[in-house]
Amino acid sequence: MQDRIAKGTPVRFTLNNTIIGFIGAGNMANSLIRGLLTKGKPPSTVLASDVDAIKLESLKKETKIETMSNQENVDRADVIVLAIKPQIMKSVCLDLDLSDPSKLVISIAAGITVTQLEKWLDEGGAIVRCMPNTPALIGKGATGMFANKHVRENQRLLAQEIMETVGISVWVESESDIDVVTAVSGSGPAYFFLFIEAMEEAAQELGLSADLARSLIYSTAVGAAELANNGEDSAAELRKKVTSPGGTTQQAIRVFESHDFKNLIHKALTAARNRSIELAKESSN
Ligand SMILES: NC(=O)c1ccc[n+]([C@@H]2O[C@H](COP(=O)([O-])OP(=O)(O)OC[C@H]3O[C@@H](n4cnc5c(N)ncnc54)[C@H](OP(=O)(O)O)[C@@H]3O)[C@@H](O)[C@H]2O)c1
């Protein structure tokens, strides 16, 4: 990653004195804005623009941030966060006059590549492409990030600080890894939801009430994730520890394995990765 960071006189920004402008004030921007304010960022240093004037007004009332047009936002912000839907990214970018190369652009739009953004914005501009996920909405997100060669080290740190207000973040070396991040953590919450859904249905068919099944399964999911996240053991080791020979867990694991469970997961993630590549191509003109 280091060799991708442009050398030169660093522009000094710290999170609190940087003006961050959000273009699009929907779900994801709201989470990021509230995450930044919770971390102590002054509301006067956060800007937002959106086509929905009512949404913008209530955001302004609740958070005391400033709201304005997309162009004024771009003119005033040091860091511009593109938080609009991928389908409108091209037209919004082409409408913007972003002529100051010292500004950092962060895109959180799924499937929009750095090359596309460079084409639609300013060729020499610093761009960070992020792939967040829905748990960011409750501050528990996981974001993969990729920086183009114009991003300076202090801008990279800034981008990371911004995304870490809603969870953890990781940098990837190659932009193609963002497609894998999309398949793993971007779409990942849905895989866990599917697993929980299937367990809830099975538990009810085996005789538990919906409420009981729900509370047992949700607590088990959170407990297992925290055990894996906080402990020293790998997931495989933790699984072995709770799988006594001849016991109940082993019977269940045998059923999963007899249906080639790991291969199924591999196929599912590959399909998601491939779709992410296709989506980027579909919006590449
Ligand atoms: N939500 C997630 O969990 C998640 C996860 C990963 C990545 N993302 C990415 O994050 C981005 C935002 O997603 P979101 O869920 O926050 O979407 P969202 O809630 O729909 O927010 C987008 C906002 O942009 C507004 N907008 C539309 N046209 C605009 C324009 N020309 N200028 C300024 N604002 C405009 C929309 O207004 P209208 O509603 O009136 O059109 C809406 O308020 C997407 O690109 C998505 O791919 C989201």
Side-chain angles (χ1 to χ4, degrees), residues 23-29 49-52 55 70 82-86 88 92 108-110 131-134 137:
I23 297 198
N27 296 316
M28 204 40 99
S49 52
D50 196 292
V51 283
D52 186 337
K55 195 183 286 177
N70 285 351
L82 299 171
I84 45 178
K85 292 284 187 202
I88 58 160
V92 171
I108 62 166
M131 184 61 214
N133 64 7
T134 47
L137 304 175

Side-chain angles (χ1 to χ4, degrees), residues 3 16 19-20 29 36 48 56-57 102 164 183 192 201 205 241 277:
D3 59 351
N16 272 5
I19 308 288
I20 303 175
L36 287 164
L56 215 48
E57 194 49 41
S102 72
E164 285 184 353
F192 289 104
E201 284 171 18
E205 277 159 26
K241 280 187 182 171
I277 297 169

Side-chain angles (χ1 to χ4, degrees), residues 16 27 74 126 220 282:
N16 272 5
N27 296 316
V74 163
T220 304
E282 279 170 22

Side-chain angles (χ1 to χ4, degrees), residues 217-252:
I217 293 162
Y218 285 33
S219 283
T220 304
V222 171
E226 284 185 2
L227 205 55
N229 201 26
N230 299 333
E232 307 223 316
D233 290 340
S234 67
E237 282 158 349
L238 286 169
R239 176 174 58 81
K240 279 183 200 135
K241 280 187 182 171
V242 294
T243 311
S244 319
T248 57
T249 313
Q250 190 184 52
Q251 289 304 311

Side-chain angles (χ1 to χ4, degrees), residues 50-200:
D50 196 292
V51 283
D52 186 337
I54 297 168
K55 195 183 286 177
L56 215 48
E57 194 49 41
S58 78
L59 180 65
K60 182 180 182 173
K61 219 167 154 185
E62 283 170 31
T63 62
K64 315 276 181 268
I65 66 165
E66 278 196 69
T67 58
M68 58 207 58
S69 70
N70 285 351
Q71 187 56 51
E72 193 186 344
N73 193 340
V74 163
D75 291 340
R76 288 182 50 194
D78 305 309
V79 176
I80 296 129
V81 182
L82 299 171
I84 45 178
K85 292 284 187 202
Q87 299 84 328
I88 58 160
M89 185 62 84
K90 182 178 180 180
S91 65
V92 171
C93 287
L94 291 176
D95 272 351
L96 295 174
D97 178 11
L98 179 68
S99 44
D100 182 350
S102 72
K103 299 198 181 208
L104 170 67
V105 174
I106 299 175
S107 165
I108 62 166
I112 300 292
T113 66
V114 160
T115 310
Q116 288 171 306
L117 292 167
E118 284 169 346
K119 198 158 77 176
W120 302 333
L121 294 164
D122 172 26
E123 284 284 340
I127 298 175
V128 169
R129 176 182 171 194
C130 297
M131 184 61 214
N133 64 7
T134 47
L137 304 175
I138 54 157
K140 302 261 183 198
T143 300
M145 307 205 287
F146 171 78
N148 78 354
K149 64 182 181 196
H150 305 296
V151 176
R152 296 179 189 283
E153 186 160 12
N154 60 330
Q155 292 178 315
R156 185 169 171 257
L157 292 173
L158 204 49
Q160 192 172 330
E161 267 192 279
I162 294 169
M163 296 315 295
E164 285 184 353
T165 61
V166 290
I168 66 121
S169 70
V170 297
W171 287 98
V172 295
E173 292 293 323
S174 143
E175 190 172 2
S176 61
D177 285 343
I178 289 284
D179 295 312
V180 185
V181 170
T182 304
V184 174
S185 53
S187 302
Y191 316 152
F192 289 104
F193 298 147
L194 178 65
F195 201 86
I196 288 171
E197 194 186 323
M199 278 185 73
E200 282 187 292

